[in-house]
Amino acid sequence: METFGLTIAAILLAGAPLVLATLGETLTEKAGIINLSLDGSILLSAMAAFAVSATFDNPWLGVLGGMAVGAAIAGVLGLIGIYLGQSQLAVGFILTLLSRDLAYFLGHSFSRQPGPDLGLWSIPGIGDVPLLGPIFASQSPVVYLGLAAIFGCWWWMYRTEGGMRLRAVGESPRAAFGRGIRVRLVRLYYCLAGGALVGMAGAAYSLAVKPGWGRPQGCEGAGWIALAIVIFGGWHPVRTALGAFFFAGLQVSGIYLQEVFPSIPAPVFQVAPFPMMILTLLAVNMGRMGWVQDIIRRHPFLARFSGAWSINAPAALGQDFDPKKGL
Amino acid sequence: MNRDSLLTQLGWLGAALALALVLTVLVTLPSGAPPLKTIYVLFNGGVGSLSKLGRVLAGWVPLTLCAVGLLVPFTARLWNIGVEGQVIMGAIFCTAALRPFDGGGALEIALAMGAAMLGGALWALLAGVLRVFGRVHEIFSGLGLNFVALGVTLWLIFGPWKRPGVASMSGTEPLDVSLWLPRLGTLSVSWVGLALAVAAIVAIAVLLNRSGWGLKLRAVGENPKAATLFALGPRRRLLQSFAICGALAGLAGATQVLGVYHRLLPAISSNYGYTALLVGMMASFRLSLVPFICLFFAVLNVGSIQLPLQLGLDSSLSGVIQGIMVLSLFIIQGLRLWLKRRQEAD
């Protein structure tokens, strides 16, 4: 029971930055914008968070710094993609390479330096509660941030008027425009908000999950996994969060597998999530392939499970909207 | 839409370069690097001497092979982001083909190059098949396969192909000198590599602009639905375009193994796959511009090696400049579009 709880605690910690990043991207994509810069954004904000917290000796100032950097990168994407009408995919990809190199360049003097981290929080009295004790007795604050963000995003998207506007500009920008919503501005806001969450994910890496800064930091590649998890989770905050914890579970089990198979070199396990990412995307998309649907049609009982496969991307995802062209 | 005059085009290009310079200085200010001195070190490190030019050309060869290859899938509107992994796979297949030999000559080298092209093409086809038959977007499959290829390299270097006694990031046992690509005089670039890169430019130019295959591929990219109706075989063509790009990327991996490092090591691809994507975007995927942008980026890469030695800066500055240049071009293009629309509205 004790080890089980500790494993859950480890998965929650490893999953927290992924949860924050996937929720950020979900917010952005719900508004119809694809931010492909996640991988570089996470790295640059991780560097910024560490640099700020080391300079001012305050990790929470570092979190704010990371969020600001994440929002700034997303803002660049938003301005070029939304207002200047350039390809979001291309700009996002350039930004991910640019931010990565910028992180290594600017972070040069902070490599392998000591700096503060966010430490551990413990909820008083929970240590004696079975199961919850080992999970939450001493847990990183980023885990609580991640869990709060799941609820916050779900509540905002599906229980507020702001959330309705958000979904409207992503599903049907023309109709939203007709209702008097300033589509491009709303999209820019969610680009910034999503970027801030991605920046928080970066801070979570360098201040809690893999404390410190260096080349490599250890969070390289996380952004690409996060982008895939958003598709896996069907653009729903709770499902994407579950997907993030699922991948974190794979990473944690990779550490155990390393002990089971000591002859396999350690770096090999670091790439293990990537074939998993491809396979899950394959599984998610298979349901929409023509030949798979033919099989489902011939065997009606399979149709009952096809609901789990169906994913609905925001209808206007990645599409330009120019109000001057009218309705 | 009438085309702008050459002078206007050059004016916009100048604006993009000026914006890139301003942005680079702004973004790198926090590092405290002296801008003018940094630029001097960067370019002097790239073109300061004949041996440095040799290294620039040695980098130009794989970068050009990858960038030229990328034009093929892009003509069909496909993003082959997996080109990095295809370089790595080419290097792995190249090394594997040479393992039975202690030494050799032109025949063994040609065999290794053929194997490398096969490896790159197979790795690219994997992403293509996932896209065509599994609806997995090629950005994700390509990226995932990049990381997998890196994992395979690490496993080989630390496992079955490790040097006797020591397994380290420094790679496998070096190849026999008889298997190295012949150098161009005293320069560190091989004339074989240069010839291959030039041949690739010519071959892709003919394929895309002078062949029926290229025309049909373009049609597939412009309108896949119509292409299906007109029986242009879009699926087969998409897969072929991936395979051609992968084969050239694999060849780039072979030039890295046979001509530069003479062994397999984790950093064998030197990020050329990702840089080639930037080159493609900067050239707006126009073949005539690709070799020159590749040359410029190669100068930056070689020059940046001097940064840590002379100024204590990280060499990733070359990547920052490359990224900012492409980004600036996109910003200027967007501004042009915006201005044009405003003029039309008036």
Side-chain angles (χ1 to χ4, degrees):
Chain A
M1 207 62 187
E2 177 85 11
T3 32
F4 178 71
L6 286 175
T7 309
I8 298 288
I11 291 175
L12 283 179
L13 180 61
L18 276 179
V19 165
L20 290 167
T22 48
L23 288 173
E25 183 68 13
T26 305
L27 276 182
T28 309
E29 291 197 7
K30 271 281 182 198
I33 303 292
I34 302 174
N35 183 357
L36 210 60
S37 75
L38 246 56
D39 203 55
S41 289
I42 289 176
L43 202 61
L44 186 57
S45 50
M47 190 284 295
F50 181 77
V52 168
S53 60
T55 308
F56 297 98
D57 201 31
N58 182 340
W60 288 101
L61 223 52
V63 173
L64 285 180
M67 290 173 74
V69 166
I73 298 169
V76 172
L77 175 85
L79 288 175
I80 302 178
I82 301 169
Y83 288 95
L84 296 181
Q86 300 293 301
S87 158
Q88 293 164 16
L89 288 179
V91 174
F93 185 72
I94 297 166
L95 281 172
T96 205
L97 293 185
L98 176 58
S99 321
R100 190 197 59 188
D101 284 326
L102 205 54
Y104 291 139
F105 180 73
L106 294 178
H108 191 62
S109 53
F110 291 97
S111 330
R112 317 274 171 233
Q113 297 282 320
D117 62 51
L118 288 167
L120 297 169
W121 283 2
S122 46
I123 299 173
I126 206 168
D128 301 328
V129 182
L131 191 59
L132 289 181
I135 298 177
F136 290 109
S138 60
Q139 186 57 278
S140 168
V142 296
V143 170
Y144 303 108
L145 280 178
L147 294 175
I150 300 172
F151 175 76
C153 281
W154 169 83
W155 177 78
W156 181 261
M157 274 183 205
Y158 296 106
R159 289 289 179 275
T160 68
E161 204 181 317
M164 209 166 71
R165 285 166 195 268
L166 159 67
R167 286 182 286 144
V169 299
E171 291 292 342
S172 176
R174 274 165 212 288
F177 182 67
R179 283 293 186 119
I181 298 175
R182 299 179 71 183
V183 173
R184 291 171 150 196
L185 201 62
V186 171
R187 286 184 161 181
L188 184 63
Y189 285 155
Y190 283 102
C191 226
L192 293 171
L197 273 178
V198 172
M200 198 193 271
Y205 274 118
S206 64
L207 298 175
V209 179
K210 293 171 181 188
W213 172 254
R215 177 181 191 170
Q217 201 275 339
C219 61
E220 285 87 350
W224 297 112
I225 294 178
L227 275 161
I229 293 172
V230 174
I231 302 172
F232 176 71
W235 292 268
H236 189 283
V238 178
R239 275 172 65 176
T240 48
L242 287 177
F245 285 125
F246 169 67
F247 269 86
L250 285 177
Q251 282 173 331
V252 171
S253 60
I255 296 165
Y256 286 123
L257 285 175
Q258 215 168 302
E259 288 164 11
V260 181
F261 302 103
S263 61
I264 299 178
V268 173
F269 286 102
Q270 286 165 9
V271 304
F274 289 96
M276 272 316 283
M277 171 184 100
I278 296 174
L279 287 176
T280 40
L281 285 181
L282 190 62
V284 166
N285 286 318
M286 282 279 262
R288 299 196 303 173
M289 294 296 292
W291 60 272
V292 177
Q293 286 185 339
D294 280 346
I295 296 175
I296 292 173
R297 233 169 279 136
R298 259 176 273 140
H299 302 276
F301 95 100
L302 281 177
R304 261 183 266 167
F305 303 100
S306 67
W309 289 337
S310 70
I311 50 164
N312 292 308
L317 185 60
Q319 284 172 18
D320 246 4
F321 177 73
D322 188 351
K324 285 208 186 66
K325 285 186 186 150
L327 298 173
Chain B
M1 203 172 81
N2 55 339
R3 283 188 77 104
D4 292 311
S5 70
L6 186 68
L7 205 64
T8 326
Q9 296 238 20
L10 283 176
W12 283 111
L13 187 68
L17 288 176
L19 180 66
L21 194 65
V22 171
L23 285 179
T24 309
V25 171
L26 272 181
V27 156
T28 52
L29 266 184
S31 73
L36 285 177
K37 192 157 185 220
T38 309
I39 292 172
Y40 172 74
V41 170
L42 206 52
F43 281 96
N44 193 44
V47 293
S49 70
L50 204 61
S51 77
K52 282 168 185 161
L53 272 177
R55 254 175 278 155
V56 167
L57 287 176
W60 180 80
V61 168
L63 190 55
T64 304
L65 284 170
C66 292
V68 164
L70 273 170
L71 298 181
V72 183
F74 189 79
T75 303
R77 295 281 185 275
L78 289 172
W79 281 67
N80 185 10
I81 279 191
V83 77
E84 181 84 9
Q86 290 144 28
V87 175
I88 297 176
M89 251 324 139
I92 291 175
F93 270 59
C94 175
T95 316
L98 289 177
R99 281 185 70 78
F101 308 111
D102 289 330
L107 192 70
E108 281 79 5
I109 290 177
L111 175 78
M113 284 183 168
M117 290 177 80
L118 179 72
L122 285 177
W123 209 241
L125 272 178
L126 205 49
V129 166
L130 281 165
R131 154 75 191 226
V132 172
F133 297 103
R135 286 182 79 135
V136 179
H137 197 289
E138 69 270 16
I139 286 186
F140 292 112
S141 56
L143 254 154
L145 290 172
N146 288 349
F147 284 97
V148 174
L150 185 63
V152 174
T153 316
L154 290 167
W155 171 67
L156 287 171
I157 288 171
F158 285 92
W161 292 0
K162 69 168 177 249
R163 287 153 78 183
V166 276
S168 76
M169 296 296 270
S170 61
T172 57
E173 190 81 354
L175 296 172
D176 187 80
V177 184
S178 61
L179 289 168
W180 295 13
L181 286 183
R183 296 198 160 175
L184 186 69
T186 54
L187 300 181
S188 49
V189 63
S190 158
W191 59 266
V192 179
L194 282 174
L196 284 172
V198 172
I201 296 171
V202 175
I204 295 300
V206 171
L207 183 70
L208 289 183
N209 301 325
R210 293 277 180 276
S211 77
W213 189 88
L215 185 70
K216 285 168 188 161
L217 187 70
R218 198 160 305 235
V220 170
E222 301 287 342
N223 192 340
K225 274 203 184 109
T228 316
L229 292 177
F230 287 107
L232 293 175
R235 284 184 166 182
R236 196 182 66 231
R237 243 166 262 280
L238 296 186
L239 290 176
Q240 285 166 345
S241 73
F242 262 103
I244 291 170
C245 180
L248 286 178
L251 194 58
T255 63
Q256 289 286 92
V257 171
L258 299 167
V260 180
Y261 294 109
H262 310 121
R263 76 189 90 180
L264 183 69
L265 69 169
I268 194 78
S269 70
S270 308
N271 257 335
Y272 285 132
Y274 291 124
T275 313
L277 278 155
L278 284 183
V279 170
M281 284 190 254
M282 180 130 180
S284 311
F285 293 93
R286 272 175 295 187
L287 182 63
S288 53
L289 295 177
V290 164
F292 302 101
I293 298 174
C294 284
L295 192 64
F296 180 68
F297 279 18
V299 169
L300 282 179
N301 279 348
V302 172
S304 70
I305 299 167
Q306 295 298 321
L307 291 175
L309 305 172
Q310 294 194 23
L311 296 171
L313 299 169
D314 198 279
S315 62
S316 49
L317 180 63
S318 63
V320 174
I321 295 175
Q322 288 160 359
I324 284 182
M325 287 188 73
V326 187
L327 197 64
S328 303
L329 207 68
F330 272 75
I331 294 174
I332 293 292
Q333 269 174 12
L335 282 176
R336 273 176 85 170
L337 205 74
W338 182 72
L339 277 177
K340 196 173 259 173
R341 275 198 202 143
R342 255 180 52 146
Q343 278 172 355
E344 279 164 10
D346 282 346

Coordinates of all heavy atoms in Angstrom, one line a residue, chain A residues 1-9 127 131 133-135:
Chain A
M1 N 0.8 -1.2 0.0 CA 0.0 0.0 0.0 C 0.9 1.2 0.0 O 0.6 2.2 -0.8 CB -0.9 0.0 1.3 CG -2.2 0.7 1.1 SD -3.2 0.1 -0.2 CE -4.5 1.3 -0.3
E2 N 1.9 1.2 0.8 CA 2.8 2.3 0.9 C 3.5 2.6 -0.4 O 3.5 3.7 -0.9 CB 3.9 2.0 2.0 CG 4.9 3.1 2.2 CD 4.5 4.2 3.1 OE1 3.4 4.0 3.8 OE2 5.2 5.2 3.2
T3 N 4.0 1.5 -1.0 CA 4.7 1.7 -2.3 C 3.7 2.2 -3.4 O 4.1 3.0 -4.3 CB 5.4 0.4 -2.8 OG1 4.7 -0.7 -2.4 CG2 6.8 0.4 -2.4
F4 N 2.5 1.6 -3.3 CA 1.5 2.0 -4.3 C 1.3 3.5 -4.2 O 1.2 4.2 -5.2 CB 0.2 1.2 -4.1 CG -0.9 1.6 -5.0 CD1 -0.9 1.2 -6.3 CD2 -2.0 2.4 -4.6 CE1 -1.9 1.6 -7.2 CE2 -3.0 2.7 -5.4 CZ -2.9 2.3 -6.7
G5 N 1.1 4.0 -3.0 CA 0.9 5.4 -2.8 C 2.0 6.2 -3.3 O 1.8 7.3 -3.9
L6 N 3.2 5.7 -3.0 CA 4.4 6.5 -3.5 C 4.5 6.5 -5.0 O 4.9 7.5 -5.6 CB 5.7 5.9 -2.9 CG 5.9 6.2 -1.4 CD1 7.1 5.4 -0.8 CD2 6.0 7.7 -1.1
T7 N 4.1 5.4 -5.6 CA 4.1 5.4 -7.1 C 3.1 6.4 -7.6 O 3.4 7.2 -8.6 CB 3.7 4.0 -7.6 OG1 4.6 3.0 -7.0 CG2 3.9 3.9 -9.1
I8 N 1.9 6.4 -7.0 CA 0.9 7.4 -7.4 C 1.5 8.8 -7.3 O 1.4 9.7 -8.1 CB -0.4 7.3 -6.6 CG1 -1.0 5.9 -6.9 CG2 -1.4 8.4 -7.0 CD1 -1.6 5.7 -8.2
A9 N 2.2 9.1 -6.1 CA 2.7 10.4 -5.8 C 3.8 10.7 -6.9 O 3.8 11.9 -7.4 CB 3.4 10.4 -4.5
G127 N -1.0 12.7 6.9 CA 0.0 11.6 6.8 C -0.6 10.3 7.3 O -0.1 9.2 6.9
L131 N -3.7 5.5 2.1 CA -3.6 5.8 0.7 C -3.3 7.3 0.4 O -2.3 7.6 -0.3 CB -4.9 5.4 -0.1 CG -4.8 5.5 -1.6 CD1 -3.7 4.5 -2.1 CD2 -6.1 5.2 -2.3
G133 N -2.3 9.4 2.5 CA -1.1 9.8 3.3 C 0.2 9.9 2.4 O 0.7 10.9 2.3
P134 N 0.6 8.7 1.9 CA 1.8 8.7 1.1 C 1.8 9.6 -0.1 O 2.8 10.1 -0.6 CB 2.0 7.3 0.7 CG 0.9 6.5 1.3 CD 0.0 7.4 2.0
I135 N 0.5 9.8 -0.6 CA 0.4 10.6 -1.9 C 0.6 12.1 -1.6 O 1.4 12.8 -2.3 CB -0.9 10.4 -2.6 CG1 -1.1 8.9 -3.0 CG2 -1.1 11.3 -3.8 CD1 -2.4 8.6 -3.6

